[in-house]
Amino acid sequence: MKLLIKKVLIADKKSPFSGLTKDILVIDGKISLISDEITSPADETIETEGLIISQGWVDVFTDFADPGYEYRESLESGAAAALAGGFSHVFVLPNTKPAIQNKPQVSYIIEKAKQLPVAVYPIGAVSKNLEGKDLAEMYEMQQAGAIAFSDGTHPLQSSGLLLKALQYIIAFDGTIIQVPVDKSIGAFGLMTEGVVSTQLGLPGSPALSETLIIKRDLDLLRYTNSKLHITGISTAESVALIAAAKAEGLSVSCSVTPYHLFFCDEDMVSYDTNLKVTPPLRNRKDMLALREAVIDGTVDCITSHHLPQNWDSKTCEFEYAAQGMIGLQTSFAVVNNLFSDLSTDRLADLFSNNARELFNIPSNNIEVGSEADFTLFTKNGNHVFTKAANKSKSVNSAFFDVPLAGSVVGVYTKGKWNKN
Amino acid sequence: MKLSTKHLLGIKDLTKEDIQLILSTASDFKDVLQRPVKKVPSLRDVTIVNLFYENSTRTRMSFELAEKRLSADTLNFAASSSSAAKGETLLDTVQNILSMKVDMIVMRHSASGAPHFLSKQIDAAIINAGDGINEHPTQALLDAFSMQEKFGSLEGLKVAIIGDIMHSRVALSNIYLLKKMGAEVMVAGPPTLIPKYIKEALNVRVEYNVKNALQWCDVANVLRIQLERQSQPLFSSLREYNLAYGISRKLLDSIGKEITIMHPGPINRGVELDSDVADGSNSIILNQVENGVAVRMAALYLLRPQNN
């Protein structure tokens, strides 16, 4: 199969064609020619105004709820959503039933993922049954294909266990992923504590519950000299703490979600259960600090925290509503909408290059001879996410029918071109 | 005359004119309640369900009485003895009730925002009879009515709300209402029971010393310690709470001025309020209860189906 891509800007710093606009010819899953103008006939030609190419995008924190909660999502529906959102690689959470906590569970995902259009990597549990008490068999899970380790939506609370886990994974160059939430502070909080929570009469959870655990995790990281990725950071102080730790030379990285960049607590006045997320949406100052951190490079990756919930668990009283939002299909458009001036190189770093580097995913740079593993997208044009276009089994998104910008034209991965 | 809202979800959504309209309508109904025949036909053929997902004595009876005085047909629902105990969702329960041609809903729920959620799903008018730690609008209205009755106006009145502010929907609704009507508000209690951002959020004074609060105020609205809503240690013991924040005759005598005492009930006697204060001459606690019926009649009347 021959795919010809016309006049595409190459957003790949490591490509010899970085920053140039070229024609690219892909034949049977390999980039076979990059040139100013290619006229040879092709099975399909892509020619779109403002077309950009980068390595295939990576999302390091998504919940496909499979096995156990297939009514919310399955590996198949999750992969379809990922593909539509421009992602060729996704990491899936271990918060399944049974939890991904041993080799057979890892193998289940790996085997099933072979049939899927995108690469799906299991994140193995750090603790047995995600209980935060005893270490799970991380070495064997890593051998079987686990990409990283995390208790996912149940962040590790025990300092002692995290210390041991950070030490344990050094032997096989593992990485721990933590959502920064101290569950003992504001344990009954339903949103971030502040002026808005007071006005809404909703129990608050202070930003302190995040910064305190980041401080602790960084101390443990300093002590162990291991690798830690903090995902879903939401406060201005978190950004400052991580920036300082990076400057100090610790192996820490972080990601933010599109919804923490787009919304803040002021958007919760209608008790919209789709905005009930963990960590909670913070105040405007925090949101602006996160945006700044995306621009200045403190943030390494954008991750959707794609967390599907069925209709019933969101169409109910706010207090009883489940946490989380789906996000794979709106991740790029939300970020692109907020940061129209962000360079294409920075976009490629945030959506692909940094995650590949942090989690040792092989690069497939945009150069002749490379395996075709890329995302084609545009920054201009309007994008509206509709229920009809939704590929997830769940509909818990606050971005339906919100005018956004930019679109994913398609993804070439696993030897196949998938046009949106 | 109409309210600016379709539902009464909270004082937060009301304008000053709405509040004045409810209070003046309540005043008319209070006159009706003094007559030998206390019933008016205003809500004849209107069916109202009292949907109580949380226990209540005073509020439920007050609403029921208000509905009966207005000649409405009433239906009572208590979550503990219904299908909710079998796991039926709020939305299912309400849609089932509405399919039996019920026109209005009076609702109490332990989750903040529950009536707001429901208002987005159904058409019937909803009156919030208390949602979690958010609002209890009819309580604030009857408190305002009682204060206005005693002082003539709320403008410039100094009201201290004392006790568990954090877990109190009465506090939040009272603050919204009093601020809108030009009163000055202070909240007082132990720091663990006062929201950290309340000063910025609601523009009220904050005091941790109850004597200072009493010295400042004209009215002390004393709140109940919400033992059932506290799932973590927020003060050491009821005994110590009474020592530090309980209002006794002796304390009131020591400040040398007359203060009107209010309480939304039920009172924990000997905890937040000593009996001789609760039953004393400056207490208007039972007036509050009496006025509750008139205020709720006004709210129901103004939100009746034909008026929406």
Side-chain angles (χ1 to χ4, degrees), chain B residues 120-187:
Chain B
K120 283 182 261 175
Q121 308 283 337
I122 62 167
D123 278 334
I126 299 169
I127 294 183
N128 182 3
D131 66 319
I133 60 168
N134 182 30
E135 286 225 45
H136 190 352
T138 56
Q139 180 70 42
L141 287 160
L142 74 88
D143 287 348
F145 187 90
S146 306
M147 283 183 260
Q148 198 166 275
E149 207 171 44
K150 172 143 187 185
F151 293 94
S153 161
L154 298 174
E155 184 80 42
L157 195 66
K158 290 178 170 173
V159 182
I161 304 174
I162 299 170
D164 181 356
I165 308 299
M166 177 101 75
H167 299 90
S168 174
R169 50 200 175 209
V170 176
L172 193 56
S173 281
N174 259 282
I175 293 168
Y176 278 127
L177 189 147
L178 291 166
K179 298 298 291 186
K180 285 184 191 206
M181 302 306 283
E184 285 187 65
V185 183
M186 173 184 281
V187 295

Side-chain angles (χ1 to χ4, degrees), chain A residues 61 178-181 207 210-211 213-214 217-218 228-243 246 252-261 263 278-282 286-287 289-291 293-294 296 298-301 303 305:
Chain A
F61 204 78
Q178 268 275 75
V179 178
V181 179
E210 173 166 326
T211 52
I213 210 156
I214 290 182
D217 289 3
L218 291 173
L228 178 68
H229 182 81
I230 305 175
T231 187
I233 61 165
S234 67
T235 79
E237 196 186 344
S238 309
V239 171
L241 288 167
I242 290 167
K246 283 183 168 183
V252 63
S253 53
C254 68
S255 47
V256 293
T257 74
Y259 54 71
H260 282 116
L261 294 168
F263 295 112
T278 311
L281 299 176
R282 303 292 181 187
D286 290 313
M287 179 183 72
L290 290 181
R291 291 183 187 176
V294 166
D296 74 21
T298 306
V299 168
D300 298 280
C301 316
T303 175
H305 277 216

Side-chain angles (χ1 to χ4, degrees), chain A residues 184 186-188 190 193-203 270-272 311-312 314-320, chain B residues 12 90-91 109-114 116-117 120-121 131 133-134 172 176 195-198 200-202 231-232:
Chain A
S184 68
F188 305 97
L190 298 174
E193 181 188 68
V195 167
V196 180
S197 72
T198 311
Q199 290 170 341
L200 284 180
L202 283 173
S270 68
Y271 300 92
D272 181 352
W311 186 85
D312 292 320
K314 282 289 193 183
T315 313
C316 62
E317 299 88 322
F318 192 87
E319 184 172 334
Y320 305 153
Chain B
K12 189 168 49 202
L90 170 62
L91 190 55
H109 200 292
S110 63
S112 298
H116 306 71
F117 155 70
K120 283 182 261 175
Q121 308 283 337
D131 66 319
I133 60 168
N134 182 30
L172 193 56
Y176 278 127
K196 182 174 160 66
Y197 295 95
I198 195 160
E200 300 92 309
L202 302 167
S231 21
Q232 48 188 334

Side-chain angles (χ1 to χ4, degrees), chain B residues 7-18:
Chain B
H7 309 282
L8 179 55
L9 301 179
I11 303 293
K12 189 168 49 202
D13 317 316
L14 299 183
T15 62
K16 190 174 177 182
E17 291 68 36
D18 288 332

Side-chain angles (χ1 to χ4, degrees), chain B residues 179-222:
Chain B
K179 298 298 291 186
K180 285 184 191 206
M181 302 306 283
E184 285 187 65
V185 183
M186 173 184 281
V187 295
T192 47
L193 293 178
I194 294 185
K196 182 174 160 66
Y197 295 95
I198 195 160
K199 210 183 266 182
E200 300 92 309
L202 302 167
N203 189 23
V204 293
R205 294 161 189 262
V206 176
E207 178 61 61
Y208 301 128
N209 180 304
V210 74
K211 192 170 177 182
N212 292 346
L214 292 172
Q215 256 154 357
W216 173 85
C217 72
D218 304 313
V219 178
N221 195 345
V222 186

